[in-house]
Amino acid sequence: MAQKVSGPRGTQDVSPYESYKWLLLEKKLREVVDQYGFKEIRTPTFEHTELFLRGVGDTTDIVNKEMYTFEDKGKRSITLRPEGTASTVRSVLEKGILNEGLPLKAYYILSCFRYEKPQAGRLREFHQLGIELFGARDYTADAEVIAVAAKILRDLGLDNVKLYINSIGCPNCRPAYHDKLKAYFAGHKDQLCEDCKNRLEKNPLRILDCKEEKCARIAKDAPVGLDNLCDECKEHFEGLQRTLQAMGIEYQINTKIVRGLDYYTKTVFEFVYDGIGAQGTVCGGGRYDGLFEELGGNHTPAVGFGMGIERLLLTLEAEGKSLGEDSRPDIFFAGIGEQAKIFAFAMAEKARSEGLKAQSDLMNRSLKAQMKYADKIGARYTVVLGDDEMQSKKAVAKNMQTKEQLSLDLSQPVRNQLI
Ligand code: ATP
Ligand code: MG
């Protein structure tokens, strides 16, 4: 036998018996974002590498270590998207969609690619729901974006996922804060991890976010960003909190949340679940007023989030929450003999034309085995068809749960005759 080929490390298959969980979750996600008026945007799986170099930033882990970049046959540098925001902004700018009116509310559900060390909740291909709100500088926009994530989690019954918020300032107040941070961490340089030694010059804010314990210990006493905000950022953060309170959304301030991406300004937030280990950040987002200009557009305020679908599914499982069951056939037509087999197919097709979910035997099974199969796939009704039924156009439908029997007139619509 030829050797089997395995799937690439860090990728996951969703089997036909599990995919309903994804479908139910995606349906719920689409329902909630629609309630807030977000419309789906679709962008390509790969982009010019330059988009992410400029749009995600060359001091981030994503750009430094995690991108799937390759040269195509036309010698262009191409990258599989590591996230959805840069592509969304690129598309909106390219198509001039902002001219249609503001705010623009867009969402996407898509796969992202990052070369990371695979572990539970950390994959090389993973999926995100992302929402982006463009054009509104007001703190109510930040509150609305946070509210979408909070509503999703609430509707899924995930009350143990906690919301943490912070503000990382703006180009007015951040440089001075950066300098303070740099000075503080420079005093502890020897004790920082190699990555953080590099971050010290380029992006000291990110040291606050480092997952190494020794760095976290030093970061504990670092100058706090919230104490160093300009008046505008301070008022924005206070307005956000007043709006969240008015909407009944619980939160905690966490001054260590900075997000990995450079284009963030003011609000940053995370939804974290403690029950799935180190990969507990189910959703992360914030405001990124600087990104449009970075990508060649006019200054455009923007706020959004990315929610990891695999992490959501892990959280649902850890919390014992289910979104429902897989769909089942309404009716299974069993056939006895060659003629009735084909008649069963005709009846199943008729039932489908009435909108029912119908199946019949493809395996030439015995009647007993057909009934066993119908039971296994959870058919609500079974109908056995033989020569008599074909001639009389009368048959019996058996309710598989109650075992009740119904007479069916096969010349009439089937659907109306089922209870
Ligand atoms: P982390 O700190 O866990 O690496 P991140 O800051 O890189 O997360 P974002 O870029 O903000 O994450 O992506 C948004 C969300 O996407 C995360 O909160 C998480 O739920 C999910 N996510 C990110 N990377 C992965 C991955 N490699 N595998 C699965 N989900 C991921
Ligand atoms: Mg990451």
Side-chain angles (χ1 to χ4, degrees):
M1 252 203 280
Q3 217 176 4
K4 290 181 183 133
V5 180
S6 60
R9 220 163 103 74
T11 63
Q12 239 177 24
D13 301 309
V14 179
S15 91
Y17 301 108
E18 293 169 321
S19 52
Y20 73 94
K21 295 180 191 165
W22 284 75
L23 292 175
L24 290 171
L25 178 57
E26 285 173 21
K27 183 161 171 269
K28 182 75 224 167
L29 299 175
R30 288 178 198 278
E31 267 168 27
V32 175
V33 296
D34 184 53
Q35 285 190 282
Y36 292 81
F38 286 79
K39 307 280 182 198
E40 185 174 15
I41 182 168
R42 297 193 183 192
T43 57
T45 307
F46 58 88
E47 298 270 1
H48 289 127
T49 301
E50 187 194 352
L51 176 69
F52 303 115
L53 294 184
R54 279 163 57 188
V56 177
D58 59 6
T59 63
T60 59
D61 284 349
I62 293 181
V63 168
N64 283 335
K65 311 186 221 169
E66 298 172 359
M67 292 209 302
Y68 275 90
T69 299
F70 59 94
E71 199 173 78
D72 72 4
K73 292 192 200 303
K75 303 253 179 280
R76 299 170 200 90
S77 180
I78 294 293
T79 295
L80 302 182
R81 64 174 168 233
E83 51 99 62
T85 302
S87 304
T88 305
V89 172
R90 197 260 317 133
S91 168
V92 161
L93 282 174
E94 202 168 334
K95 300 279 166 352
I97 299 171
L98 291 179
N99 300 331
E100 313 263 323
L102 297 176
L104 176 65
K105 297 177 173 184
Y107 83 92
Y108 45 80
I109 296 178
L110 45 70
S111 51
C112 300
F113 306 85
R114 298 186 193 177
Y115 196 80
E116 300 205 66
K117 197 167 153 235
Q119 49 201 293
R122 194 174 291 285
L123 295 153
R124 290 183 173 170
E125 180 183 14
F126 66 98
H127 298 78
Q128 266 190 6
L129 161 74
I131 73 167
E132 318 285 357
L133 199 164
F134 298 149
R137 71 180 67 251
D138 197 66
Y139 52 77
T140 48
D142 309 51
E144 181 157 294
V145 164
I146 291 175
V148 173
K151 171 113 177 35
I152 287 169
L153 296 165
R154 203 178 330 121
D155 284 7
L156 295 176
L158 300 178
D159 305 322
N160 293 326
V161 181
K162 295 215 168 60
L163 165 62
Y164 299 98
I165 62 170
N166 189 23
S167 174
I168 55 170
C170 69
N172 290 331
C173 50
R174 201 152 44 182
Y177 175 56
H178 264 198
D179 289 345
K180 277 194 196 177
L181 271 184
K182 243 186 237 176
Y184 172 80
F185 284 120
H188 300 81
K189 190 168 174 182
D190 298 345
Q191 295 141 273
L192 294 174
C193 74
E194 283 311 305
D195 280 346
C196 282
K197 280 184 186 139
N198 292 329
R199 287 169 183 149
L200 189 54
E201 278 314 309
K202 282 174 148 180
N203 189 353
L205 205 58
R206 294 224 30 241
I207 304 177
L208 298 175
D209 192 29
C210 182
K211 291 179 176 85
E212 294 270 340
E213 217 209 301
K214 53 184 181 183
C215 300
R217 219 177 311 123
I218 298 165
K220 208 160 76 49
D221 298 320
V224 172
L226 285 186
D227 299 339
N228 290 277
L229 296 181
C230 60
D231 287 346
E232 189 197 313
C233 287
K234 218 181 278 171
E235 279 160 30
H236 197 273
F237 194 52
E238 281 161 9
L240 167 64
Q241 293 182 65
R242 283 202 304 278
T243 314
L244 289 177
Q245 285 161 18
M247 294 174 97
I249 295 169
E250 278 178 38
Y251 63 89
Q252 287 170 38
I253 294 174
N254 181 341
T255 58
K256 294 292 179 295
I257 289 181
V258 293
R259 309 299 308 143
L261 310 178
D262 286 349
Y263 49 67
Y264 282 105
T265 51
K266 295 194 169 77
T267 311
V268 285
F269 63 88
E270 284 186 0
F271 285 84
V272 182
Y273 177 65
D274 291 333
I276 52 172
Q279 270 57 252
T281 306
V282 173
C283 173
R287 177 168 281 281
Y288 47 96
D289 291 349
L291 183 59
F292 273 81
E293 281 160 300
E294 195 67 43
L295 294 178
N298 294 326
H299 178 79
T300 307
V303 51
F305 70 62
M307 188 178 268
I309 307 235
E310 284 85 355
R311 290 191 196 175
L312 258 190
L313 287 166
L314 285 174
T315 307
L316 282 165
E317 201 168 290
E319 289 281 285
K321 305 281 182 197
S322 148
L323 292 176
E325 290 177 358
D326 202 355
S327 83
R328 300 194 276 149
D330 296 306
I331 192 160
F332 184 90
F333 290 97
I336 313 171
E338 192 73 17
Q339 296 288 324
K341 173 173 85 177
I342 295 175
F343 184 51
F345 269 78
M347 283 308 302
E349 193 64 6
K350 173 178 146 99
R352 291 180 200 120
S353 76
E354 297 164 15
L356 292 175
K357 286 178 249 182
Q359 293 194 47
S360 36
D361 174 49
L362 290 156
M363 305 294 290
N364 280 322
R365 286 186 165 119
S366 69
L367 178 61
K368 196 171 158 208
Q370 286 186 53
M371 299 312 267
K372 208 169 147 194
Y373 178 72
D375 198 39
K376 184 174 169 225
I377 60 176
R380 285 171 225 280
Y381 287 92
T382 51
V383 180
V384 177
L385 302 175
D387 291 343
D388 288 353
E389 285 79 6
M390 276 172 71
Q391 252 140 50
S392 65
K393 298 275 182 291
K394 300 264 188 289
V396 172
K398 182 171 165 192
N399 183 320
M400 295 296 275
Q401 210 187 345
T402 62
K403 308 292 174 207
E404 235 174 304
Q405 313 239 349
L406 285 173
S407 337
L408 281 188
D409 181 345
L410 299 177
S411 62
Q412 297 298 314
V414 177
R415 184 179 192 134
N416 308 340
Q417 301 177 67
L418 304 176
I419 308 164

